[in-house]
Amino acid sequence: MTDGTPTWRFPRAFWTGNAAELFERAAFYGTFIALTLYLTRVVGLSDVKAGIVAGAFSGWIYLVPFFTGAAADRIGFRNALMLAFALLTLGYGTLGVFHTLGPVLVGLVLIVIGGAFVKPVITGTVSKTSDSVNRARAFSIFYMVVNIGSFTGKTIVAPMRIQMGVETVPFFSAGASLAALVLVFLIYRPPEDPDAQPKSIRETLQGMWMAMSNLRFLALILITAGFWAIQGQLYASMPAYVLRMAGETYKPEWYANVNPLVVVLFVVAVTQMVRTWKPQYSMLVALALIPMSSLAMASSTLFSGNFQIFGMSVHPITVMMVVGIAIQGLAECFLSPKYLEFASKQAPPGKEGVFLGFAHVNTFFAWIFAFVFSGFLLSSYCPDPATLSATEQVQHAAALAGQGPLPQAYDHAHYLWLAYAGVGLLSFLALVIFILVTNRIDAEGERA
């Protein structure tokens, strides 16, 4: 714990916890960016079935921590983190060794449970090793570490996938998790509060009910789920779309890194710019931008040849993906900080933590929908080349080599992004209605 003066110096447990978080994020995003490719190419699932499995996995990742957080308080942070990284190492290792559906599902469940312990433990460590004066600085470091881990994991796995196959990617994640386990075992000694009263599962469920029964909060959770459903396409649709439309040598993992890069560069400036805005108006800007990102991604089909950028020939899919993902990152800068501000203002006095904890339930709804919907869209408009006829497969391979057009099955591949532009537009209109209705209710309450 710091002594109450502004500082960037924190105890060893703080830095060890953040190092463990970096390894965990690198492991998670390294495999997550390749998950749908792994499920279709290695496990042999269809796009639809892969979407269902990946959607369930990614959704539960965001719900289970509410319960594992209570368990971590009971068994102690160090024990919880060692258990977490042991499960993660075993889970990712299972994906690397076994390639049939049963063991893969077991591996994914282990990753969900292990990962669900990490975030509440690390955020709890950050909180316990800082004071009110330095907590904002502590969490800014944590947020930077999360983005560095995400960036690092996706950067490393791209050449692995190209050179050794997507089936090798989980081994990177298993290695990163094992390194974190060793780090925690040797160094991590978090501060423990013997007088703390851990929450029970019943208290957790009561907190969830209290948050979800606030109709304004629930409405905004569902509305902003549309935003995260679109951003979820960085993992659900974008890797398969890029490889099927441009070729195996392209690196969708690196395109996805544009998002955290833009957030890190602009979130402070945007947050400062909108600091006096009502949260819902900043979120409205975000929801106006997010369908534009999907439209940008869809627009690559409008260009017949490559772009010439700094003397390099760049595929239009690369250019428009980067543009679309950059717009998503900018939109996130307008959404995330003000959304959390709104959540805290909806909470009864003393319950801000409960509401902030459940604010991320929007991602649970969003990613289950996003991955399942993506599976159907890919299957319909941008199918796996392995499902094509032999003649079409030859034509597809030739097209990627620059020898002729893609098969007719890909004529409307961009409809996938238009569908998500529609999701974004519906979310934007829903937020406009939300603002109009709540403003009217508030005005009537003031007159009364």
Side-chain angles (χ1 to χ4, degrees), residues 383-409:
D384 187 340
T387 64
L388 303 177
S389 68
T391 301
E392 289 175 317
Q393 289 186 37
V394 171
Q395 183 183 354
H396 181 263
L400 297 186
Q403 302 169 7
L406 287 164
Q408 189 175 3

Side-chain angles (χ1 to χ4, degrees), residues 66-421:
F66 300 125
F67 303 97
T68 52
D73 285 337
R74 292 183 176 276
I75 66 175
F77 278 13
R78 183 168 182 268
N79 290 335
L81 217 51
M82 290 180 62
L83 173 62
F85 284 114
L87 292 174
L88 289 171
T89 303
L90 183 59
Y92 289 120
T94 299
L95 299 188
V97 173
F98 300 102
H99 300 148
T100 55
L101 184 58
V104 165
L105 292 177
V106 172
L108 291 175
V109 169
L110 293 175
I111 294 168
V112 168
I113 297 172
F117 274 102
V118 175
K119 190 165 291 294
V121 169
I122 301 302
T123 54
T125 299
V126 172
S127 181
K128 287 185 176 183
T129 54
S130 60
D131 54 28
S132 59
V133 174
N134 296 295
R135 193 150 294 139
R137 292 185 176 190
F139 275 101
S140 70
I141 293 172
F142 167 78
Y143 187 65
M144 185 180 298
V145 164
V146 167
N147 282 278
I148 292 171
S150 168
F151 192 97
T152 303
K154 286 179 283 191
T155 300
I156 291 173
V157 301
M160 285 185 64
R161 175 186 57 77
I162 293 172
Q163 296 173 18
M164 296 182 286
V166 70
E167 65 273 15
T168 65
V169 168
F171 287 121
F172 160 75
S173 299
S177 300
L178 180 60
L181 176 59
V182 173
L183 178 71
V184 170
F185 176 76
L186 294 177
I187 303 175
Y188 180 67
R189 298 294 185 273
E192 300 288 354
D193 184 358
D195 298 323
Q197 296 296 319
K199 288 184 179 179
S200 65
I201 297 298
R202 179 179 179 181
E203 289 172 321
T204 300
L205 291 172
Q206 287 174 340
M208 179 180 287
W209 172 251
M210 179 179 64
M212 296 298 99
S213 60
N214 182 306
L215 295 182
R216 288 195 185 194
F217 189 37
L218 178 60
L220 206 63
I221 283 174
L222 297 176
I223 291 169
T224 55
F227 176 95
W228 295 109
I230 295 174
Q231 192 169 93
Q233 296 317 299
L234 297 184
Y235 307 96
S237 299
M238 192 268 291
Y241 182 88
V242 169
L243 298 183
R244 294 173 189 181
M245 296 293 291
E248 291 294 321
T249 59
Y250 287 80
K251 299 180 177 68
E253 299 91 343
W254 291 8
Y255 304 167
N257 274 338
V258 172
N259 182 273
L261 178 62
V262 169
V263 171
V264 169
L265 290 177
F266 293 103
V267 68
V268 173
V270 171
T271 302
Q272 178 69 12
M273 183 180 74
V274 302
R275 68 189 186 282
T276 61
W277 295 16
K278 288 185 177 180
Q280 50 268 45
Y281 294 123
S282 181
M283 288 185 280
L284 192 64
V285 173
L287 290 179
L289 288 171
I290 198 68
M292 296 181 188
S293 73
S294 295
L295 291 175
M297 294 175 179
S299 68
S300 63
T301 57
L302 299 177
F303 303 98
S304 57
N306 286 2
F307 288 86
Q308 298 300 316
I309 301 176
F310 301 120
M312 298 183 295
S313 180
V314 184
H315 199 290
I317 284 181
T318 297
V319 175
M320 299 318 298
M321 281 292 162
V322 168
V323 170
I325 293 167
I327 294 172
Q328 287 187 14
L330 183 62
E332 185 178 342
C333 295
F334 281 93
L335 180 84
S336 292
K338 296 301 256 186
Y339 172 69
L340 294 176
E341 179 185 332
F342 180 92
S344 67
K345 289 182 177 179
Q346 296 305 301
K351 299 295 183 181
E352 292 84 0
V354 173
F355 274 66
L356 287 172
F358 289 103
H360 298 290
V361 171
N362 56 2
T363 313
F364 167 76
F365 294 117
W367 283 19
I368 288 178
F369 165 76
F371 277 83
V372 173
F373 192 33
S374 166
F376 284 99
L377 291 172
L378 285 169
S379 179
S380 298
Y381 300 116
C382 189
D384 187 340
T387 64
L388 303 177
S389 68
T391 301
E392 289 175 317
Q393 289 186 37
V394 171
Q395 183 183 354
H396 181 263
L400 297 186
Q403 302 169 7
L406 287 164
Q408 189 175 3
Y410 298 92
D411 284 354
H412 302 300
H414 63 290
Y415 283 11
L416 185 154
W417 303 112
L418 295 180
Y420 277 101

